[in-house]
Amino acid sequence: MVTRSVPLRVEYDAAHGGRWTSLRGGDRQWLWRGPEPGRHEVRPGDAFVDAGGLEECLPTVRGEPDHGEVWSRPWRTVGPDTVVIERPTFTLSRRLTDDGGVVVADYRLTADPGYRFVWAAHALLGLSPDAYLDAPAGTPTRLHPEAAALLSPGTWPTDAPWLTGAWPSPAGLTLDTFGADDGTAVGAVLLDCPRVQVIDGDDRLRMELECDGQPRSTALWRNLGGWPQDCPYRSIGVEPMLGSAFDLADAGPADAAVVPPAGEVTWRLTISAHRIHRGHSR
C-alpha cells in the first residue's frame, strides 16, 4: 500500500464573486455543485444562492449580509492568477495557483487598523457517505443553534450562540462521519484548528491555513438532507476560517480577525490531494 500525491487543478470565476468552480485531481472533482439555479444573475443584496463550489465569505459567513459582501460582486483581474475586490471598508486580493499540483491561495486584506472580520473558504465538497473529517481529537468545537434539537433536552444553554465540546463528539453529537442522509443539518467550528484532512475511501484532501497573529479555525457544515426546510438536499462544507464564529455580530474580542496597525492582513490556504494505491507485495 503506497500513498501518492494527486496533482490538483483549480478554476475560478472572477466575474461571479471569485467563486472556485473546479478543484479536480485525476479522475475526481472535489467540489460539489448545488441544485440552486440563478447564481450568475445574483446582484448585491440578493439572497445567497447555494450553487456549490467554493465561495469567498467576508466579512462574515452567517449574519448580514448572508455569506458576506464579496460572493455576490465581480472581482477585477489585476495580474496573472490575481483578482481583487474593493469595498468601502476593505480591499481584498487573491492569487490562486496550482503549480506543481498543489493549490495555493494567497490573500491580502487592507483596511483601517482595528477593522474586525471573519473570512471563510466556503468549500462544499462532493463526498460519499463513507467519507469523514480527520482533525485532532479533543479540539474544542463550537456547535451552533441548529444542533440544539439533536441534543438531550436541557443541554443547550439559554440564549447562547454556541455550545462548546470536544471533537469529534461535542456534547455527545458525533460529527466527524458524514454517513447517509438522515434529515439533519449542523454547523460547527473547530477552534485553533488550521489543518484538517477529508478522507473518502482511498482519497485524501488536505487543507492548511497559515496566518500570523489571527485566530484560525475550520468550519463544518454537515447537511444530510436537513436544509433548506422546503426542499432539502445534501451538502458538506469543510471551510478553513479566520475567526471562530459564523456571524461577526456574535464574535467576541478573540473570535474575529483584526487588522493590525500596519493596515493589512495576509494569509495562505494550501490544498493538496493524495490517493492510496493498494497492491500485492512480492
Side-chain angles (χ1 to χ4, degrees):
M1 185 173 68
V2 178
T3 300
R4 297 193 178 102
S5 62
V6 177
L8 289 172
R9 293 292 176 262
V10 65
E11 298 176 6
Y12 65 91
D13 185 351
H16 299 95
R19 174 173 166 261
W20 303 27
T21 56
S22 178
L23 183 64
R24 180 173 291 279
D27 58 356
R28 177 159 193 159
Q29 172 59 257
W30 282 97
L31 294 181
W32 171 85
R33 295 184 180 180
E36 298 292 333
R39 179 66 179 80
H40 284 191
E41 288 71 47
V42 164
R43 296 293 181 269
D46 288 353
F48 181 67
V49 175
D50 197 10
L54 186 155
E55 303 278 11
E56 302 283 358
C57 296
L58 187 133
T60 191
V61 182
R62 298 184 183 181
E64 295 293 336
D66 188 19
H67 289 73
E69 295 185 24
V70 302
W71 72 271
S72 60
R73 291 175 164 87
W75 297 43
R76 179 166 53 90
T77 300
V78 294
D81 308 308
T82 304
V83 292
V84 65
I85 181 166
E86 296 156 332
R87 301 296 301 133
T89 56
F90 64 84
T91 297
L92 176 67
S93 67
R94 183 193 71 200
R95 184 171 186 263
L96 183 57
T97 63
D98 54 21
D99 298 339
V102 175
V103 172
V104 178
D106 285 308
Y107 297 85
R108 182 181 304 272
L109 182 138
T110 58
D112 290 340
Y115 180 76
R116 303 174 76 247
F117 67 94
V118 172
W119 164 85
H122 186 277
L124 294 177
L125 303 178
L127 303 173
S128 79
D130 296 325
Y132 62 96
L133 180 62
D134 181 26
T139 296
T141 302
R142 288 177 172 170
L143 293 172
H144 283 254
E146 61 272 11
L150 306 178
L151 305 178
S152 300
T155 301
W156 196 269
T158 303
D159 298 327
W162 49 66
L163 174 64
T164 304
W167 181 265
S169 301
L173 183 62
T174 300
L175 290 182
D176 59 334
T177 56
F178 299 134
D181 291 1
D182 61 7
T184 65
V186 180
V189 178
L190 288 73
L191 307 182
D192 192 24
C193 184
R195 290 175 294 276
V196 297
Q197 178 176 230
V198 175
I199 299 176
D200 193 358
D202 289 337
D203 290 326
R204 283 70 177 137
L205 189 73
R206 297 174 182 170
M207 299 178 170
E208 180 172 2
L209 179 60
E210 302 170 75
C211 185
D212 292 335
Q214 305 291 347
R216 297 172 298 165
S217 306
T218 299
L220 171 65
W221 172 240
R222 195 184 71 171
N223 174 26
L224 305 180
W227 185 91
Q229 289 187 351
D230 57 343
C231 188
Y233 51 82
R234 179 187 181 91
S235 58
I236 306 294
V238 179
E239 309 170 20
M241 171 187 278
L242 290 183
S244 52
F246 279 125
D247 191 339
L248 183 60
D250 293 332
D255 297 326
V258 181
V259 175
E264 70 174 33
V265 179
T266 60
W267 64 95
R268 169 173 286 184
L269 172 61
T270 303
I271 304 177
S272 59
H274 302 80
R275 178 172 292 168
I276 294 175
H277 293 264
R278 304 179 187 275
H280 299 284
S281 60
R282 294 184 179 182

